[in-house]
Every structure is written in structure tokens, then in C-alpha cells.
Amino acid sequence: MSSHTTNNNTLSLSTFACAWCGLTVSAHAADGAARNHCPSCLHSRHVLDHVEGGPSDCEGRMSPIAIAVLRTGDWMLIHRCVRCDELTSNAVCTDDNQLILMRMAVRPLAQPPFPLEAFGTL
């Protein structure tokens, strides 16, 4: 991550390069919330150890694999590290790619683990 700060500390801008598509991404979403994933392709980098706590030495690419919805109705983005298989969850940001989010949300309905024809006999 690179960080740029003015002398009077009124502006702090942190950015990172997406591990998948290379986009330069602000570490803050449009609404000011902290961001750790690319708003375009939703990939991230494994920099935090969510099991042990603290920084991770893995540095693997975190691939978005699913959406989880909390009781509050907030959506969480589920990532899996392509290097060590650790799973993480992160809040969806307001400016995340809505098409990719919806594709992940409906995938279980579009590709169920059983034949849909079974519902025809109910």
C-alpha cells in the first residue's frame, strides 16, 4: 500500500494495486468506509491472518467466492485465498461491481446441487 498525506494531516489517501486486474484502488469506498478489495473485480490480497490475528505472510490472492447476508441485511463478500485456502469475510462496499455481486448471490439458485425437475412432482 502506498500512502500520501499532506503536511497538515487534513487529507490521507491510501491506494493499492489490485492483485487480479491491476486497477489502482482507493483504500476507502465512495461512502468513506474502509476497503480491502477491488471494487471492479472484487479480488483482494491475503495480508491479514484472520485465524491468528495480525499480519499474514501469505500475500496470496483472495478470490471472491460467495455472498453472505447478515441478520442485519448487510452483505458480506466471502474470499478464499488461492495460496493457503483461508476464508475471510468483508463488508460489501457501496461502489462494488453490482453485476459480479448479483452473479455470486444467485449462483446457488442457478446451479443447485440437485435436479430442478424434482420440484415438478411436489
Side-chain angles (χ1 to χ4, degrees):
M1 259 189 204
S2 63
S3 179
H4 309 293
T5 307
T6 60
N7 290 339
N8 61 7
N9 289 329
T10 58
L11 174 65
S12 178
L13 175 66
S14 295
T15 60
F16 60 92
C18 175
W20 182 251
C21 72
L23 183 70
T24 299
V25 176
S26 171
H28 294 88
D31 63 357
R35 167 196 304 292
N36 73 339
H37 58 272
C38 177
S40 180
C41 70
L42 307 182
H43 284 78
S44 184
R45 174 80 62 194
H46 192 182
V47 295
L48 294 176
D49 187 325
H50 293 272
V51 176
E52 300 283 331
S56 172
D57 294 331
C58 179
E59 297 281 325
R61 181 174 45 85
M62 301 292 282
S63 184
I65 61 167
I67 296 294
V69 181
L70 303 178
R71 290 182 187 142
T72 61
D74 294 332
W75 281 27
M76 300 296 287
L77 187 56
I78 309 300
H79 285 102
R80 175 180 284 131
C81 180
V82 300
R83 184 174 289 162
C84 72
D85 285 334
E86 184 172 320
L87 295 173
T88 64
S89 64
N90 298 285
V92 167
C93 296
T94 56
D95 55 350
D96 283 345
N97 185 321
Q98 295 172 359
L99 179 59
I100 296 175
L101 290 170
M102 290 305 293
R103 276 190 202 150
M104 282 193 293
V106 302
R107 186 180 306 140
L109 297 174
Q111 299 171 343
F114 50 81
L116 290 176
E117 293 78 29
F119 286 108
T121 61
L122 296 179

